[in-house]
Amino acid sequence: MTTATSYGAAHAALLKEGKKIQIGSHDGLRSRNSVGLSRRHVNLFSVSVPRPNPLIRAVSSPVKPETETKRSKVEIIKEHSNFIRYPLNEELLTDAPNINESATQIIKFHGSYQQYDRDERGARSYSFMLRTKNPCGKVPNKLYLTMDDLADQFGIGTLRLTTRQTFQLHGVLKKNLKTVMSSIIHSMGSTLGACGDLNRNVLAPAAPFARKDYQFAQQTADDIAALLTPQSGFYYDMWVDGEKIMSAEPPEVVKARNDNSHGTNFPDSPEPIYGTQFLPRKFKIAVTVPTDNSVDLLTNDVGVVVVTDADGEPQGFNLYVGGGMGRTHRVETTFPRLAESLGYVPKEDILYAVKAIVVTQRENGRRDDRKYSRMKYLISSWGIEKFRSVVEEYYGKKFEPSRELPEWEFKSYLGWHEQGDGGLFCGLHVDSGRVGGKMKTTLREIIEKYNLDVRLTPNQNIILCGIRKAWKRPITTALAQAGLLEPKYVDPLNLTAMACPALPMCPLAITEAERGMPGILKRIRAVFEKVGLKYNESVVIRATGCPNGCARPYMAELGFVGDGPNSYQLWLGGTPNQTSLARTFMNKVKIHDLEKVLEPLFYNWKRKRQSKESFGDFTNRVNKTAHQLAMEVISNYAAAQQNGKGE
């Protein structure tokens, strides 16, 4: 990595000399009717200053009309970054253990967040979290072994499986970032776009079934991920000195990316889809097949569902748009939202349709206030009809009506299953996705010994793939000795529970999630026993340390959302198949008061539910305000206890 001259420092020095030059600058965005990037000239006090990279397009904000919409600080940082290089390239060369504010924003696009241990007092101990990008959760054998090694050599000794089918590696020091990044890249992996204002990891069912629909969904997820991968080379410039280590892309992906017949692209730009500004915020896509909602389809900006004919041959896709989880406590203009139907496209058009949706958000999503920058707010503001109309302009066609689909089911793929090609796969439950200790050692031994590839699931679990039937018994024995049990031996409450990492590393966390989840689940199990609910009954429980919703708590039957030190906002009403949005039930529930709130709720569910009615369906059927429901269940429970009628 070569030292780049600081544009900011040179510019400041030359200001004193009063020298001028005209510098062209790319606009981050263009109007829908414009063709290509506009060029503006502005007078700057500068001369021919050495630049960090010849690709630089925007080094100063152009003079803008007073009526122009205000942009957030992050938008300015992106514009001045030389396509996501500056000032990170300079900050990485300093001896400081941390990087500055602008570089902290830029490194997200490279797949990393700067963090510090919030449990420590005194001086901050800075480190970096790295997140991989694994479409469909696919992890080749070599990459898994590399990640396992890196966790021990440069991390905190554990791997974290995320709710978007990726790894998180915590505790990497700044001085080791390039070594770790280059190791991942050279081992068939990537962290490019795992964070930042661009398309994130594309979800798809993790099950390695040898079925046309599943394989088609997974290939489509791979193609969408490739289509929306940044093209300007900033990632490889930074971490492998410009070496491009990429597999060949399908020609249909290249064709779709380069197509500008409907004004979607920035011509002659290093980033034909993203431009200098990229997207207003993160963008999430999931692909699946009918009935399989292992991907929490409706929580994504774009949901893509394979539609097949009677013989199982893929014909096209239903598209859903506008899902998203993030919100801000007590700011009612922020909210979680479910995606809604956009329409149907034939299979050969899927990349063009997805690109049109992305460009609609790129051009129209808010860039002044990041709280409202997700596509869900654009659709909520416009309405689906206007949104569809604008997308169709970029797509160049009308969407067909969505095809009828069967009911959704949540599929975990835990336990042993036939792949359909003579092999087996084994899905393993991992509490909150944290792989460490004996579990980590044993998984590595098995994956290495049998040369297995793995898949990560959207529920923070792991699947071992391509297992010969003769290996089933020794692998089962080894897993059990490490505490990786078959699902029938795991508490049902644990099987569907999820939590984000939260404290101590996440700077946004208000309270515990991952570290608090084991205790929460044990206490809920005790409440189940007290009110007479059976062991095999379960509730989908999810916890996050803040309202951003990384573990998708707003889809849970019982969601815990960090609302202050040792307190949570409770959400009720999600359903086991992940198709209903929960509603706020109570604010500021202190963790020590958990039983006082949950005992009446579960007691009422047991007493008044219909046959086999889930907890989420029950709370939705009751359909009363949070206050009314709380008062009713608490008074009913108190009366029953007083009369000795408790069950």
Side-chain angles (χ1 to χ4, degrees):
M1 194 180 299
T2 58
T3 304
T5 302
S6 168
Y7 175 79
H11 180 243
L14 291 165
L15 273 172
K16 298 178 180 178
E17 301 179 28
K19 298 181 179 178
K20 298 181 180 181
I21 193 171
Q22 286 190 321
I23 298 177
S25 70
H26 277 313
D27 290 323
L29 302 178
R30 50 176 186 76
S31 69
R32 293 207 344 267
N33 297 321
S34 65
V35 181
L37 293 165
S38 65
R39 299 283 292 177
R40 295 178 184 165
H41 288 91
V42 295
N43 287 325
L44 297 177
F45 289 94
S46 182
V47 294
S48 181
V49 178
R51 310 257 181 94
N53 187 294
L55 283 176
I56 196 161
R57 296 291 189 271
V59 294
S60 177
S61 299
V63 176
K64 298 179 188 289
E66 291 183 6
T67 56
E68 183 156 345
T69 304
K70 178 185 175 184
R71 293 186 298 162
S72 70
K73 183 187 294 186
V74 175
E75 291 296 314
I76 307 299
I77 291 170
K78 287 188 290 185
E79 181 184 2
H80 289 72
S81 72
N82 183 21
F83 292 98
I84 316 302
R85 293 175 174 84
Y86 175 80
L88 178 61
N89 50 0
E90 297 182 356
E91 286 291 298
L92 290 174
L93 299 175
T94 71
D95 293 330
N98 62 314
I99 57 178
N100 67 20
E101 181 183 356
S102 294
T104 300
Q105 294 298 330
I106 293 303
I107 200 172
K108 294 177 184 179
F109 291 78
H110 297 256
S112 179
Y113 283 86
Q114 180 170 267
Q115 299 181 332
Y116 63 92
D117 190 341
R118 294 172 62 186
D119 282 347
E120 292 184 356
R121 295 294 176 261
R124 292 181 177 180
S125 299
Y126 286 100
S127 65
F128 292 80
M129 179 271 281
L130 272 60
R131 182 184 296 150
T132 59
K133 200 169 184 183
N134 310 88
C136 319
K138 294 178 182 176
V139 182
N141 178 270
K142 182 180 180 181
L143 178 59
Y144 185 91
L145 298 179
T146 296
M147 296 301 298
D148 182 84
D149 287 338
L150 292 174
D152 291 337
Q153 294 172 22
F154 301 105
I156 60 173
T158 66
L159 285 170
R160 185 63 154 56
L161 315 181
T162 78
T163 59
R164 290 200 71 80
Q165 297 184 275
T166 65
F167 287 116
Q168 285 186 179
L169 183 64
H170 292 95
V172 179
L173 300 181
K174 176 181 154 183
K175 65 181 181 180
N176 296 324
L177 274 173
K178 187 170 183 180
T179 299
V180 174
M181 288 285 203
S182 61
S183 297
I184 292 171
I185 294 168
H186 285 105
S187 299
M188 305 170 63
S190 177
T191 65
L192 172 59
C195 322
D197 299 342
L198 70 176
N199 179 53
R200 299 290 186 88
N201 196 51
V202 181
L203 304 188
F209 286 133
R211 277 174 43 176
K212 289 180 182 178
D213 55 350
Y214 273 83
Q215 293 182 344
F216 189 63
Q218 291 158 359
Q219 183 59 55
T220 300
D222 284 335
D223 290 347
I224 292 172
L227 172 75
L228 299 175
T229 294
Q231 299 296 300
S232 54
F234 63 81
Y235 181 69
Y236 299 98
D237 286 351
M238 201 78 70
W239 308 112
V240 288
D241 299 321
E243 180 184 0
K244 286 274 185 123
I245 304 173
M246 301 172 66
S247 56
E249 294 181 326
E252 56 268 27
V253 171
V254 177
K255 181 181 177 183
R257 181 189 298 120
N258 293 335
D259 178 76
N260 197 28
S261 56
H262 301 289
T264 54
N265 288 21
F266 294 102
D268 304 318
S269 171
E271 291 292 352
I273 295 177
Y274 290 126
T276 60
Q277 300 299 105
F278 286 73
L279 298 179
R281 276 298 293 275
K282 58 188 173 184
F283 199 88
K284 297 181 177 180
I285 300 175
V287 185
T288 193
V289 301
T291 75
D292 188 336
N293 199 20
S294 60
V295 298
D296 262 3
L297 183 82
L298 301 178
T299 66
N300 289 269
D301 292 270
V302 182
V304 182
V305 184
V306 176
V307 175
T308 61
D309 62 17
D311 297 323
E313 287 289 339
Q315 300 298 305
F317 301 89
N318 278 359
L319 291 174
Y320 301 82
V321 291
M325 294 284 96
R327 50 177 286 277
T328 302
H329 279 318
R330 283 164 284 285
V331 178
E332 298 303 318
T333 50
T334 67
F335 44 80
R337 189 180 192 276
L338 297 187
E340 55 187 306
S341 177
L342 185 68
Y344 170 89
V345 297
K347 62 183 180 182
E348 60 271 15
D349 286 353
I350 185 59
L351 296 181
Y352 299 89
V354 168
K355 182 180 174 184
I357 296 167
V358 170
V359 171
T360 300
Q361 163 67 354
R362 182 195 75 197
E363 295 295 310
N364 299 284
R366 286 181 60 171
R367 293 178 181 267
D368 61 325
D369 188 334
R370 290 176 66 81
K371 288 197 302 293
Y372 306 105
S373 293
R374 289 289 297 276
M375 193 173 75
K376 65 181 178 180
Y377 294 113
L378 176 64
I379 296 176
S380 180
S381 171
W382 278 5
I384 190 64
E385 296 302 328
K386 178 179 177 180
F387 183 82
R388 182 183 294 114
S389 176
V390 174
V391 173
E392 286 172 342
E393 292 183 35
Y394 289 119
Y395 175 40
K397 300 180 182 179
K398 293 286 187 182
F399 289 106
E400 299 178 36
S402 294
R403 304 303 194 247
E404 289 290 326
L405 295 177
E407 288 292 315
W408 292 105
E409 300 173 20
F410 169 72
K411 297 180 185 291
S412 70
Y413 299 113
L414 296 176
W416 288 92
H417 302 267
E418 297 272 357
Q419 289 184 174
D421 58 2
L424 303 173
F425 72 86
C426 182
L428 302 169
H429 170 71
V430 180
D431 283 335
S432 296
R434 183 68 65 180
V435 179
K438 176 68 172 173
M439 177 198 303
K440 180 173 175 291
T441 302
T442 300
L443 276 175
R444 195 231 164 75
E445 290 172 351
I446 292 170
I447 290 166
E448 190 168 30
K449 177 178 179 179
Y450 297 100
N451 194 31
L452 303 179
D453 293 333
V454 308
R455 303 272 181 98
L456 310 182
T457 83
N459 233 50
Q460 302 177 300
N461 296 322
I462 191 167
I463 294 175
L464 307 181
C465 307
I467 301 172
R468 296 180 187 175
K469 293 183 178 179
W471 300 343
K472 180 178 179 180
R473 179 170 290 180
I475 287 176
T476 300
T477 301
L479 291 171
Q481 291 172 347
L484 287 160
L485 305 174
E486 292 187 53
K488 62 184 177 182
Y489 300 118
V490 180
D491 189 321
L493 290 173
N494 292 56
L495 289 177
T496 55
M498 290 202 298
C500 71
L503 295 172
M505 300 306 294
C506 179
L508 301 177
I510 303 170
T511 191
E512 302 284 0
E514 178 186 343
R515 294 194 303 193
M517 183 60 100
I520 288 173
L521 293 175
K522 287 178 182 176
R523 291 168 68 182
I524 291 175
R525 172 56 63 196
V527 173
F528 265 41
E529 292 173 355
K530 184 173 182 179
V531 302
L533 287 165
K534 297 178 180 177
Y535 179 79
N536 63 359
E537 296 189 270
S538 188
V539 170
V540 176
I541 301 166
R542 296 175 177 178
T544 57
C546 82
N548 285 329
C550 292
R552 304 189 287 273
Y554 310 117
M555 301 298 288
E557 294 182 274
L558 175 57
F560 293 83
V561 180
D563 197 17
N566 298 311
S567 74
Y568 298 88
Q569 190 179 68
L570 295 190
W571 287 65
L572 302 178
T575 49
N577 68 354
Q578 306 305 304
T579 58
S580 294
L581 199 62
R583 295 167 296 159
T584 312
F585 177 63
M586 291 181 72
N587 293 315
K588 298 286 185 183
V589 176
K590 289 293 184 182
I591 191 66
H592 59 260
D593 290 331
L594 206 56
E595 287 81 1
K596 294 179 184 177
V597 176
L598 295 184
E599 282 182 29
L601 282 171
F602 292 140
Y603 171 78
N604 210 42
W605 172 42
K606 180 180 184 299
R607 193 169 66 88
K608 293 189 174 182
R609 65 183 170 181
Q610 297 173 353
S611 177
K612 297 183 179 178
E613 187 174 35
S614 71
F615 181 65
D617 286 330
F618 167 74
T619 55
N620 284 330
R621 180 171 58 82
V622 171
N623 196 26
K624 296 179 178 176
T625 68
H627 180 74
Q628 287 175 321
L629 180 58
M631 291 302 99
E632 179 177 324
V633 297
I634 290 171
S635 61
N636 286 346
Y637 182 75
Q641 295 300 305
Q642 185 175 2
N643 296 331
K645 297 179 181 178
E647 297 179 42

